Amino acid sequence: MMLVPEGTNATTQEVRARWAYGDMSSNRFGPKYRAHSISKAILDCADNHAVFEDVDKSCWAELDDLLDLARPGEYLHDSLKQWQSFECAYWSKADFATVLAIPAFNKARGRPFPYMDFYNGLPDTGVKQGILGFAEDSDPRVRAFRSPDMPQSQPAVCQLFKGMHLLVDGYLRSIIFMRQAKPDLRFAVWVPVALW
């Protein structure tokens, strides 16, 4: 079940607020947010596992700001501010053959690279652990080994880079989507549509 219908338009503030709110309930990123002062209204929603649609619109600006505070410089989220609005699109597995992955997953070259190279590649981010040098748990390819297949809860987010879609949020969700056997399954993504 997709929570956001295909073709739905959203402001950049809403997209960034959704991203931050989703992060808050994550074991990986939640502590980075909770290290900052957060209003009771947002904490109550997050602690009660409320869906984003239950978060009052008056909280969106705070969530938008929290994204910058909790994850400074990460995942190109700041570059989303150049866009005025986004539209929810549904991607097939074949669509991912035309998508780029962020430079953080391309340590050797430090620039965007094909998503399928990321998906099929070995985890290589973070501090290496153990005698065999496995990448740390923060790499979504490592995390995916311990994550069950589950329905997507929020659309991912993409940016444009040299005319191509660049996935900036939703890597763990995308791996879970890609490995599922259902051929008609689709992956929801916020795609930028209008510049300021």
Side-chain angles (χ1 to χ4, degrees):
M1 173 184 135
M2 293 296 180
L3 295 179
V4 179
E6 185 172 15
T8 298
N9 284 300
T11 64
T12 301
Q13 183 184 64
E14 178 183 347
V15 169
R16 286 172 42 91
R18 282 178 177 274
W19 183 347
Y21 185 71
D23 275 357
M24 283 184 60
S25 56
S26 155
N27 292 336
R28 290 163 58 209
F29 302 115
K32 292 183 177 187
Y33 287 82
R34 291 172 185 267
H36 299 279
S37 178
I38 302 173
S39 68
K40 184 177 185 315
I42 293 173
L43 286 174
D44 285 349
C45 284
D47 291 343
N48 290 315
H49 306 289
V51 295
F52 179 79
E53 286 71 17
D54 292 336
V55 177
D56 194 275
K57 287 184 180 181
S58 65
C59 296
W60 289 5
E62 180 181 352
L63 285 164
D64 185 4
D65 291 342
L66 277 169
L67 184 61
D68 291 326
L69 290 171
R71 299 178 70 179
E74 293 182 38
Y75 292 91
L76 307 176
H77 60 71
D78 196 51
S79 66
L80 301 181
K81 293 177 183 176
Q82 68 181 304
W83 297 94
Q84 183 177 7
S85 63
F86 287 73
E87 182 177 294
C88 186
Y90 286 79
W91 289 354
S92 67
K93 291 179 182 179
D95 290 328
F96 275 92
T98 66
V99 173
L100 296 173
I102 58 174
F105 298 122
N106 190 17
K107 296 278 186 184
R109 297 208 168 105
R111 64 179 181 255
F113 68 120
Y115 174 88
M116 294 308 294
D117 289 355
F118 156 80
Y119 179 72
N120 293 315
L122 294 173
D124 65 352
T125 60
V127 179
K128 302 297 182 187
Q129 297 180 347
I131 194 165
L132 298 177
F134 293 115
E136 68 180 336
D137 193 53
S138 64
D139 189 306
R141 292 165 291 194
V142 173
R143 190 74 166 195
F145 288 124
R146 291 189 296 281
S147 298
D149 288 354
M150 56 191 161
Q152 186 181 5
S153 59
Q154 279 293 331
V157 182
C158 81
Q159 173 63 284
L160 291 181
F161 179 80
K162 296 183 178 180
M164 296 180 71
H165 289 120
L166 170 65
L167 191 67
V168 295
D169 168 59
Y171 282 88
L172 176 59
R173 284 170 281 163
S174 72
I175 293 169
I176 291 169
F177 163 76
M178 291 293 286
R179 75 183 182 198
Q180 293 184 55
K182 303 172 188 173
D184 59 341
L185 201 60
R186 295 293 179 266
F187 188 74
V189 185
W190 290 113
V191 177
V193 290
L195 285 165
W196 283 105

